[in-house]
Amino acid sequence: MPFWLPALVAGLALPAALPWLLPLPLVAALIFMLAGVRWWWQQALLSACLAFAVGLGWSAVRMATVEASLLPPALVGQTVELTGRVTGLVESGQRFGRPLQRFRLRAETCELAGQPCPDTALTTVQLNFYSAEPLHPDERWRLRVRLKRPHGFANPGGFDYESWLVAQGISATGSIASDGLLEPLSPPRSWHPTHWRAGARKWLDQRLAELPARPLLLALLVGDGSALSDAQWERLRLTGTVHLFVVSGLHISLSGGLILLLGRYWRRLPWNSGSQRSMLLTWLPALGVALLYALLAGFNLPIRRALVMFAVAGCALVGWRTRRPRDAWLLAAAIVLAADPLAVLQVGFWFSFVTVAVILAVLIGRSEAPAPDWQRWLRGWWRVQWACFVIGAPLVLVLAGGLPLNSLVANAVAIPLVSALALPAAVVALLAGALPLPLADSVSDVCWLLSDRLLQWLWRFLEWLPDAGIWLWQPAGAGVAALAFASVAALLLVLPRPFSGRWLAPVLLLPLLFPAYDRPATGEARVTVLDVGQGLSVLVRTRSYTLLYDTGPVFGSGLTAAQAAVLPALRRFGVMALDELMISHNDSDHAGGWQVLQAALPIATIRTGEPLPGAGAEPCRRGSEWVVDDVTFRLLHPDWRSSRSNDNSCVLWVATAGGSVLLPGDIGSAIEAELAWRAELPPSTVVVAPHHGSRSSSSDALVTATGAAHVVFSAGYANPFRHPAAEVVTRWQRSGAVLWNTAEQGMLEFVLAPDGVRWLPPQRSRWRRFWQPPVPLPTGGQSTTKE
């Protein structure tokens, strides 16, 4: 193996993981210095250092380009006019009872108040359009839109949506104004692959309308999973079979591999002699079919990555048969990272390359006893399945927060059923339907029915598998170090049997199986304000008691913050049951997703400010008080029913000997004034600002009565309500409080200890990306201590 190749891959991968951009002049100077030394000293180590520096420099240039393409902070929330062309398919659905179309626009020009947008070089923008007026792929439009930078939740665990957006090349997200369709500039280009894909999607939708497995077939053939319901996606996730219905390297390899198989076994073909020329003549049609399938499936970044891997494998097969497979593997990684250094931020990149590496390690170089072909094939298949399950388990635990233990059985059945039967039958049906031959339609109908029936059988099998309650392993409190040790243990388990380090695997798995829980001491409370966007969710933990105040919002797509942020964070903290779930009131930004939590976790008590149908909850009552682990919990409100839902919020005060926190929900200034008049607003070290910092709350009465040292605004990034309001921010600043905002800093944690209140570094400052602005830390205000 060339020593410089892994060094080049490492150099290409490093800059995307750094929290800051590398200075380009320094990298250029390093490259020139190493090149000069390499000219005089012909040594492998210097070649590797030079390759690393070249990869570092190339990737740093690409990172700078990505950072420059993002929406400038000055344009966040501004309404601008964009000219561009629709790329990819247009997803249609419903959100908040309104028709929604989601699509991507390749921006060409940007104007603000009739002038070019300053300091911006937008590339691709992801837009929402709340209208039934149809948009079509590859159309060119002039639009009026309101934009914001790529942004996601910042909590431990869960999906990193912001990194995914940036890795997809999204410069900004936003929505089209109600009158934002200003002018269609040109229709779709008939020759463009996007137009062909849209036509194929429409034709398939009509052709498969009567087939029960239509959503699965659309996902397989054109990479359109919008027809799959949330319940279907959840079932695929719980059985570990999502990868089969997201076009990936498996599908690209199968589409081209089918042609290779035909070329190998069709003995009459003249290029079947086994020479390099004959291999090339077999390989080129296979690459062409794989390319056509990639174009049909959208030719997005993951598909392009899979196509590169397939092409490099073919080159190795045709021209490098004397080279080692690991060289081809490293070369494919280098080409992918050179084309897209941000691929290291994508889950698919790691799964693809790790899976291929595992397959190579398991199948190549093993000595086996003589056996019939079918036995050797079956043994190899089972080895690959087991190795992929073992080596992929730590990745799944990191990215999904749980490991479906039944995925080994599910994939052992699903992969051959889909890859060897259902997908080839669907491809044959698609090709036969496009041929003007007498029997083509009949062949197409038979193949469609066969593929549909196979997928129906598969779906019945996946539904038959036990539910997640038994078969979804979710290790509580699994940290990065424990998962890193588990990855090493998995690698040891899949290495060939003569390797002598397998005995270390059980030892390395101990931190994952028996994690150390970080529980507060007696008399101490840890208050965690989760980042759930425009909503609220606060976790309060003592030595032996866990309370969750609100569950965050529900989004128009049906996804809830409980699924995306709250549950992953609870698992990362080692919380596998709740002593109490308190829902302040029934607004969707506070109570959205409570059913998800009730289904996922044992909950001893549910308490609400308003009746919550189906929850079996008891009401919050003013004056209720309980003490756990020398920590006092007291309800200050409500004691009467208001016509305003916000004013029915449960107001909870939590206190230790050294400090306290006030959780007032969404109460307005009238309730604040009443509590202050009754002298029932105790001094509080930390106050979560009522109603996300709305101008209807945080009155002078609340500010004066609490005398807070810290005020937390739980608000959405660039939210349309402009929370927190400027006058509210000014009011709290005048009081001397330190202000925090989950939209800017992510998840926030405070420790109420017997000797005072400590704040922990905000989540965004713990894991910063190079495109993110510096995280503002508290300045001024009252005395505070950082842990």
Side-chain angles (χ1 to χ4, degrees):
M1 176 181 63
F3 198 44
W4 58 267
L5 195 52
L8 177 64
V9 171
L12 290 168
L14 179 61
L18 296 176
W20 24 259
L21 288 173
L22 290 172
L24 296 181
L26 181 62
V27 176
L30 177 64
I31 293 173
F32 281 114
M33 181 186 70
L34 289 173
V37 175
R38 173 68 177 81
W39 180 264
W40 293 102
W41 291 351
Q42 302 291 325
Q43 293 186 10
L45 181 59
L46 286 177
S47 298
C49 292
L50 179 59
F52 178 80
V54 169
L56 206 67
W58 174 259
S59 188
V61 171
R62 295 296 303 274
M63 295 303 103
T65 304
V66 169
E67 200 273 339
S69 70
L70 297 178
L71 185 74
L75 293 180
V76 172
Q78 299 283 348
T79 299
V80 300
E81 291 187 7
L82 289 182
T83 299
R85 194 176 289 275
V86 178
T87 64
L89 298 178
V90 178
E91 299 179 12
S92 299
Q94 295 282 326
R95 187 172 186 181
F96 302 121
R98 302 162 59 193
L100 169 66
Q101 299 178 75
R102 175 173 292 175
F103 64 96
R104 293 181 182 179
L105 185 84
R106 186 167 296 280
E108 299 172 359
T109 64
C110 174
E111 293 184 358
L112 176 65
Q115 300 296 322
C117 296
D119 303 323
T120 183
L122 297 177
T123 54
T124 302
V125 180
Q126 181 170 285
L127 296 173
N128 291 336
F129 181 40
Y130 293 92
S131 173
E133 183 176 350
L135 294 171
H136 301 97
D138 204 48
E139 287 182 332
R140 191 165 175 265
W141 281 89
R142 188 163 65 92
L143 306 171
R144 182 181 293 116
V145 299
R146 186 169 181 263
L147 299 177
K148 57 184 178 182
R149 287 169 69 92
H151 194 85
F153 300 143
N155 302 289
F159 179 60
D160 190 350
Y161 182 60
E162 182 175 334
S163 294
W164 180 84
L165 286 173
V166 175
Q168 291 288 316
I170 306 297
S171 298
T173 63
S175 58
I176 302 176
S178 56
D179 58 346
L181 288 182
L182 299 180
E183 182 183 2
L185 300 178
S186 63
R189 297 165 292 185
S190 59
W191 56 267
H192 199 271
T194 301
H195 182 64
W196 297 349
R197 185 188 180 212
R201 168 64 170 83
K202 184 178 180 180
W203 180 83
L204 283 172
D205 203 22
Q206 296 171 352
R207 181 67 179 79
L208 307 176
E210 303 299 326
L211 299 182
R214 180 185 68 90
L216 298 174
L217 285 168
L218 289 175
L220 271 178
L221 292 172
V222 294
D224 182 12
S226 60
L228 290 168
S229 66
D230 292 338
Q232 287 176 308
W233 280 118
E234 184 68 8
R235 172 54 56 178
L236 293 174
R237 185 186 71 84
L238 294 176
T239 54
T241 52
V242 172
H243 64 97
L244 291 175
F245 298 95
V246 178
V247 177
S248 62
L250 175 66
H251 304 81
I252 299 296
S253 301
L254 287 172
S255 62
L258 183 62
I259 304 301
L260 284 177
L261 191 64
L262 293 175
R264 178 180 177 184
Y265 288 103
W266 197 344
R267 298 294 184 182
R268 295 183 179 179
L269 291 177
W271 52 77
N272 204 26
S273 62
S275 66
Q276 186 172 357
R277 177 177 174 273
S278 66
M279 290 293 296
L280 179 62
L281 292 176
T282 305
W283 172 249
L284 290 178
L287 183 59
V289 170
L291 177 60
L292 287 175
Y293 184 71
L295 292 172
L296 181 66
F299 208 63
N300 54 28
L301 290 176
I303 294 175
R304 276 177 267 172
R305 178 177 64 243
L307 189 63
V308 167
M309 294 180 68
F310 186 66
V312 171
C315 291
L317 182 66
V318 173
W320 300 342
R321 282 177 287 177
T322 59
R323 298 287 185 94
R324 295 182 178 181
R326 66 186 181 191
D327 293 349
W329 183 82
L330 284 169
L331 181 60
I335 294 174
V336 167
L337 290 175
D340 177 28
L342 286 174
V344 295
L345 302 180
Q346 296 185 339
V347 177
F349 172 83
W350 294 103
F351 272 114
S352 297
F353 279 91
V354 168
T355 301
V356 172
V358 168
I359 293 173
L360 294 176
V362 169
L363 296 183
I364 295 178
R366 282 184 178 269
S367 59
E368 295 185 355
D373 288 346
W374 69 269
Q375 288 186 10
R376 289 189 292 106
W377 183 90
L378 188 61
R379 195 180 300 127
W381 175 260
W382 176 250
R383 283 204 199 100
V384 168
Q385 287 295 314
W386 170 249
C388 290
F389 176 80
V390 170
I391 206 72
L395 278 175
V396 174
L397 286 172
V398 169
L399 301 168
L403 176 65
L405 298 178
N406 54 11
S407 63
L408 182 61
V409 177
N411 279 282
V413 174
I415 289 178
L417 192 64
V418 171
S419 60
L421 298 174
L423 181 58
V427 171
V428 171
L430 184 63
L431 296 175
L435 296 176
L437 297 176
L439 296 178
D441 289 341
S442 299
V443 173
S444 178
D445 290 340
V446 172
C447 290
W448 282 130
L449 289 174
L450 175 62
S451 184
D452 177 76
R453 186 60 59 88
L454 290 169
L455 290 176
Q456 288 187 62
W457 289 343
L458 172 63
W459 195 257
R460 292 193 191 104
F461 172 73
L462 295 180
E463 290 183 327
W464 172 81
L465 288 174
D467 287 335
I470 301 173
W471 292 93
L472 184 66
W473 181 45
Q474 298 167 326
V480 176
L483 293 171
F485 283 125
S487 300
V488 177
L491 181 62
L492 293 176
L493 288 173
V494 301
L495 286 175
R497 189 172 299 277
F499 187 75
S500 60
R502 286 191 171 196
W503 63 272
L504 284 173
V507 178
L508 294 172
L509 286 173
L510 290 177
L512 182 66
L513 299 174
F514 304 100
Y517 299 115
D518 182 19
R519 299 292 298 187
T522 301
E524 184 177 278
R526 178 166 292 190
V527 179
T528 304
V529 184
L530 297 171
D531 179 11
V532 294
Q534 189 65 20
L536 181 65
S537 186
V538 182
L539 180 67
V540 181
R541 289 172 289 166
T542 70
R543 183 69 179 175
S544 62
Y545 183 79
T546 303
L547 178 145
L548 183 68
Y549 183 94
D550 284 345
T551 60
V554 59
F555 308 108
S557 60
L559 180 71
T560 66
Q563 296 166 296
V566 179
L567 268 176
L570 292 179
R571 289 165 183 154
R572 186 60 61 88
F573 293 142
V575 175
M576 303 305 290
L578 292 175
D579 296 289
E580 180 162 337
L581 172 62
M582 184 175 292
I583 305 296
S584 62
H585 61 302
N586 284 4
D587 279 5
S588 62
D589 58 336
H590 292 254
W594 67 267
Q595 300 96 330
V596 174
L597 286 173
Q598 192 178 44
L601 299 174
I603 302 175
T605 303
I606 300 180
R607 211 184 305 236
T608 64
E610 295 180 304
L612 201 61
E618 61 183 71
C620 291
R621 292 187 175 89
R622 168 180 165 242
S624 299
E625 183 174 318
W626 61 102
V627 179
V628 184
D629 300 323
D630 295 335
V631 178
T632 301
F633 295 79
R634 183 187 304 164
L635 279 169
L636 310 179
H637 184 74
D639 60 345
W640 49 273
R641 183 74 57 199
S642 171
S643 58
R644 294 184 69 250
S645 176
N646 288 349
D647 287 340
N648 294 321
S649 297
C650 304
V651 178
L652 179 66
W653 185 67
V654 182
T656 67
S660 57
V661 60
L662 181 68
L663 306 177
D666 275 356
I667 61 172
S669 55
I671 303 300
E672 295 171 358
E674 180 183 341
L675 290 173
W677 177 77
R678 292 195 311 217
E680 293 183 0
L681 272 179
S684 304
T685 317
V686 181
V687 171
V688 177
H691 203 186
H692 322 289
S694 166
R695 61 172 54 90
S696 63
S697 303
S698 294
S699 61
D700 286 326
L702 178 72
V703 173
T704 303
T706 57
H710 302 271
V711 175
V712 177
F713 297 106
S714 181
Y717 172 72
N719 64 83
F721 310 103
R722 309 287 182 177
H723 293 162
E727 54 265 41
V728 170
V729 171
T730 302
R731 195 176 299 139
W732 282 112
Q733 284 177 332
R734 282 202 306 261
S735 73
V738 176
L739 306 187
W740 306 79
N741 193 332
T742 57
E744 298 176 350
Q745 296 151 325
M747 184 194 74
L748 301 167
E749 287 190 278
F750 299 88
V751 179
L752 311 181
D755 58 347
V757 175
R758 304 190 302 273
W759 57 269
L760 278 65
Q763 183 66 22
R764 287 193 181 274
S765 68
R766 302 178 193 179
W767 189 257
R768 180 173 170 250
R769 300 294 190 182
F770 69 86
W771 65 81
Q772 295 172 339
V775 179
L777 293 178
T779 56
Q782 302 182 23
S783 175
T784 184
T785 304
K786 172 183 174 181
E787 185 175 87

